[in-house]
């Protein structure tokens, strides 16, 4: 499995660029597919884009509630579902939480690197055509539909803070 580590989530970077590019991708996608970019949908994406961290649906709901978007859970859940379906938000199964996509312009198979030190989630993309999992599945005659690619460990700055 070739993992592309062009992600900057673990390094100092101009985060405004991440925010702008994902919001622009969202606007373009809604226009192209004739989907409505409602204030709640936009706000949910903005909240997730604040940090490269996964947020639980409940935390997103709390934020919306605090900002006066109403306190009905379905509103937040539906907005999250909408973005997951659109591919601009990913669900991190291990954390049962959501992150905004870091590679919105590409059709991709994300690999999530979850730092257990600072909770940062970096998204890389993987070429799965040559992965060990695919080969094992092929050998078993099994057709893979979904794989969860989440790895947990320490990001570069947390490794420095806790030397082995
Ligand atoms: Zn960023
Ligand atoms: Zn993504
Ligand atoms: Zn870390």
């Amino acid at each position: 499995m070739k993992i592309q580590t062009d992600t900057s989530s673990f390094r100092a970077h101009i985060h405004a660029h991440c925010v702008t590019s994902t919001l622009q991708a969202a606007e373009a996608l809604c226009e192209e597919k004739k989907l409505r970019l409602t204030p709640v949908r936009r706000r949910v994406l903005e909240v997730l884009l604040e940090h490269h961290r996964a947020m639980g649906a409940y935390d997103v709901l709390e934020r919306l509630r605090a900002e006066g978007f109403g306190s009905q859970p379905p509103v937040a859940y539906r907005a999250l579902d909408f973005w997951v379906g659109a591919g601009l938000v990913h669900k991190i199964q291990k954390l049962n939480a959501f992150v905004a996509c870091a590679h919105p312009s590409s059709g991709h198979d994300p690999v999530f690197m979850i730092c257990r030190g600072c909770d940062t989630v970096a998204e890389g993309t993987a070429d799965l055509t040559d992965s060990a999992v695919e080969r094992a599945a092929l050998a078993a005659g099994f057709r893979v539909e979904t794989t969860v690619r989440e790895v947990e460990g320490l990001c570069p700055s947390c490794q420095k803070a806790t030397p082995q």
Side-chain angles (χ1 to χ4, degrees), residues 8-11 13-19 49-52 102:
S8 51
S9 311
F10 287 146
R11 297 188 299 274
H13 65 285
I14 302 168
H15 185 61
H17 290 174
C18 308
V19 176
L49 277 167
E50 281 170 13
H51 307 284
H52 290 288

Side-chain angles (χ1 to χ4, degrees), residues 24-156:
Q24 277 172 354
E27 282 165 12
L29 183 108
C30 287
E31 197 171 309
E32 188 196 319
K33 304 237 166 112
K34 306 266 178 278
L35 300 166
R36 286 199 334 125
L37 186 52
T38 60
V40 174
R41 286 175 176 173
R42 172 182 279 273
R43 193 62 198 137
V44 163
L45 194 57
E46 283 171 353
V47 166
L48 289 176
L49 277 167
E50 281 170 13
H51 307 284
H52 290 288
R53 291 210 176 101
M55 272 180 95
Y58 187 77
D59 295 323
V60 175
L61 173 66
E62 283 294 290
R63 279 290 299 274
L64 293 185
R65 179 180 305 183
E67 293 175 8
F69 275 99
S71 56
Q72 299 302 313
V75 175
Y77 298 153
R78 269 194 241 116
L80 284 166
D81 278 350
F82 172 78
W83 289 124
V84 170
L88 288 175
V89 166
H90 301 299
K91 185 163 190 199
I92 308 287
Q93 305 291 345
K94 191 168 176 47
L95 305 174
N96 191 25
F98 300 86
V99 279
C101 178
H103 305 280
S105 53
S106 63
H108 58 285
D109 280 308
V111 175
F112 298 103
M113 289 154 271
I114 306 161
C115 178
R116 62 177 167 81
C118 63
D119 293 334
T120 296
V121 176
E123 179 183 344
T125 55
D127 176 2
L128 295 169
T129 49
D130 187 34
S131 74
V133 174
E134 288 288 308
R135 283 197 299 273
L138 197 69
F142 185 83
R143 192 176 71 218
V144 177
E145 288 174 348
T146 49
T147 23
V148 178
R149 293 169 292 271
E150 299 173 358
V151 289
E152 200 175 23
L154 284 175
C155 77

